[in-house]
Amino acid sequence: MKTYKIALLAGDGIGPEVMKQAVKVLKAVEARNPEVAFELNEALFGAVAYFETGKSFPAETIAICDEADAILKGTIGLNHEDSKKIPVDEQPERGALLPLRRRYNTYANFRPVYLPQELAHFSPLKPEVIGDGIDLMIIRELVGGLYFGEKEVGKDDNGKRYVREVLEYDEDQIRDILKVGFETAQRRKKVMHNIHKSNVLKSSVLWNEILEEVAVDYPDVEVKHILVDAAATYLCLNPGQFDVMVMENMFGDILSDQGGGILGSLGLMPSACVGPEKSYYEPSHGSAPDIAGKNIANPYSMIGSVALMLEMSFGMEQEAKNLWHAMKSVFANGYGTPDLAKGEDAKLIDTDAFGDMVVDELNKAPRA
Ligand code: NAD
Ligand code: IPM
Ligand code: MN
């Protein structure tokens, strides 16, 4: 029997609602796989932690994460007005999420943009644009660039306010994420789109220089270069041309939310944040304050993040496949949460019902 310790950081907004479904699924997986046990350790993280302890990533939570084999995170953050109740540096994005990423050096962020035929009707794109479905992997560098560079806010000699934020990468950081891109492309279609802005940014010039060096070790992978602004358009007009897309932190933040847009909802965007020793898993979306507390959030991104954890941290590939299949089956049966199911024949279900149906579908798959 192998016991995995999982830190559960439900967070703010819809975080606790979608995390509840993840826990349901984990308990079902545990019941189906007698050789594994999950030790689930809940910890405060985000605005909820700040209001309770004065810190959005408290020491007790850090200790639980340090002990864990993997971390499962819900969502953090408050709406624009409520955010102002927390000092800027303790706000959950700067005070909890970025420190979590930095602490475990989770530099490789996998954000699958996946729309099989069973989900195709949710997309705003025309069927002829979707073709056989969308299946691409955004690989976003997660611990460098503008997010982690030096920041300065002040007043100049004329009394004018100014701000300075530094976009910084060293060659090791660039090489490491590009290797992840190449290795992922080798496991998939052997094509990698390099997304950059070398017509303006020196960081992209260095990025591309290092890419040339790294590419020598991956002669079987074809590299295609696309400027980030054009890539945004192609994602809408012809997403089928992409398979693996690799890019720096900020570009990845923006294009991955666009990924949610072409699928039909951010509720369809799970993610894995992988570090050398520890990884954490989270939906790509935020805390959705506009729908929090109503039991209507789509938990697919959260449950998909569980599937990624089973596969990438625990080596449970078959069970991860079963879980993806279970989620697809719920949609194939015509159900959808309100972000997705529109129109007269929509069979609307809530957050809890989606979680329950996924467990029922999962239990139809043969046990380990
Ligand atoms: P958001 O992703 O929370 O919401 C954008 C839109 O998508 C909203 O209309 C929301 O209702 C919808 N949406 C998102 N997830 C959904 C789901 N699972 N089901 C149904 N609809 C869903 O982005 P935002 O409104 O710009 O940000 C809200 C807060 O979340 C901010 O404080 C932001 O900083 C934070 N945030 C946190 C994370 C994170 O925890 N990793 C990620 C992004 C944003
Ligand atoms: C994401 C989020 C975060 C980011 C925020 C909440 C700091 O938008 O995970 O995409 O910008 O990385
Ligand atoms: Mn984002």
Side-chain angles (χ1 to χ4, degrees):
M1 160 86 82
K2 172 80 188 150
T3 300
Y4 293 109
K5 284 188 187 173
I6 306 172
L8 300 180
L9 314 178
D12 307 315
I14 60 171
E17 297 162 56
V18 294
M19 183 62 87
K20 189 174 152 203
Q21 313 315 314
V23 169
K24 257 182 213 171
V25 166
L26 282 169
K27 296 221 185 289
V29 169
E30 192 177 44
R32 289 165 45 79
N33 294 269
E35 81 286 6
V36 300
F38 298 129
E39 183 187 311
L40 305 179
N41 298 310
E42 291 179 24
L44 289 171
F45 189 72
V48 62
Y50 174 78
F51 290 125
E52 206 147 305
T53 71
K55 288 271 170 208
S56 53
F57 191 14
E60 196 181 319
T61 301
I62 295 176
I64 289 174
C65 291
D66 282 353
E67 280 292 303
D69 295 300
I71 300 164
L72 193 60
K73 179 191 147 283
T75 59
I76 50 99
L78 300 178
N79 67 33
H80 191 73
E81 282 310 310
D82 288 343
S83 276
K84 294 178 192 161
K85 296 176 186 158
I86 305 182
V88 168
D89 288 327
E90 273 306 320
Q91 285 168 3
E93 298 83 351
R94 269 178 292 263
L97 187 53
L98 298 190
L100 175 75
R101 290 174 181 172
R102 187 199 289 269
R103 184 170 186 85
Y104 302 113
N105 187 23
T106 56
Y107 67 99
N109 183 204
F110 294 83
R111 294 194 159 180
V113 183
Y114 177 53
L115 190 83
Q117 279 302 340
E118 293 91 333
L119 281 67
H121 56 292
F122 295 141
S123 172
L125 302 183
K126 295 189 184 115
E128 60 266 32
V129 175
I130 297 171
D132 296 337
I134 300 171
D135 183 6
L136 61 96
M137 181 63 84
I138 291 182
I139 298 180
R140 168 188 180 194
E141 198 290 327
L142 200 61
V143 295
L146 269 178
Y147 277 63
F148 289 89
E150 209 185 302
K151 291 168 199 295
E152 188 183 295
V153 185
K155 279 192 183 163
D156 68 15
D157 294 346
N158 301 319
K160 278 196 193 295
R161 286 165 295 173
Y162 75 90
V163 61
R164 199 175 66 88
E165 312 203 60
V166 178
L167 197 174
E168 204 170 1
Y169 274 108
D170 70 34
E171 63 175 292
D172 294 342
Q173 285 177 298
I174 298 173
R175 194 175 295 111
D176 287 349
I177 191 69
L178 288 172
K179 280 186 185 169
V180 171
F182 277 108
E183 281 158 21
T184 309
Q186 276 184 328
R187 287 196 301 273
R188 292 173 56 113
K189 293 188 180 157
K190 299 193 167 42
V191 179
M192 183 177 87
H193 280 86
N194 175 47
I195 309 301
H196 66 102
K197 185 78 186 170
S198 69
N199 51 350
V200 175
L201 300 178
K202 290 274 179 80
S203 51
S204 285
V205 173
L206 179 64
W207 177 283
N208 291 351
E209 212 173 285
I210 292 167
L211 191 150
E212 304 275 303
E213 296 163 17
V214 177
V216 173
D217 295 329
Y218 302 90
D220 52 334
V221 174
E222 183 188 358
V223 178
K224 296 188 175 182
H225 301 279
I226 301 205
L227 292 165
V228 61
D229 46 354
T233 304
Y234 294 140
L235 264 177
C236 295
L237 296 182
N238 182 13
Q241 74 185 281
F242 296 114
D243 192 56
V244 172
M245 301 172 81
V246 66
M247 63 200 81
E248 68 90 46
N249 203 344
M250 184 85 185
F251 297 165
D253 179 44
I254 297 169
L255 286 193
S256 60
D257 264 31
Q258 193 179 336
I262 65 173
L263 299 183
S265 171
L266 281 172
L268 297 175
M269 286 291 298
S271 94
C273 310
V274 176
E277 267 125 51
K278 202 180 303 249
S279 300
Y280 87 92
Y281 299 84
E282 65 174 351
S284 297
H285 59 71
S287 57
D290 51 336
I291 59 164
K294 297 180 178 166
N295 191 35
I296 58 171
N298 181 356
Y300 177 102
S301 300
M302 185 79 240
I303 300 175
S305 302
V306 171
L308 291 171
M309 178 175 73
L310 294 179
E311 179 197 330
M312 300 172 81
S313 281
F314 307 152
M316 298 175 71
E317 281 174 21
Q318 185 53 49
E319 195 66 334
K321 278 189 190 140
N322 294 339
L323 190 48
W324 289 119
H325 183 76
M327 289 206 288
K328 269 191 292 192
S329 302
V330 174
F331 291 136
N333 292 337
Y335 295 101
T337 41
D339 53 318
L340 296 171
K342 311 242 155 61
E344 281 170 11
D345 51 356
K347 291 199 268 181
L348 270 186
I349 48 172
D350 62 22
T351 312
D352 270 324
F354 186 87
D356 292 340
M357 286 180 173
V358 169
V359 168
D360 287 346
E361 289 296 330
L362 180 65
N363 283 330
K364 291 181 188 166
R367 288 176 184 238

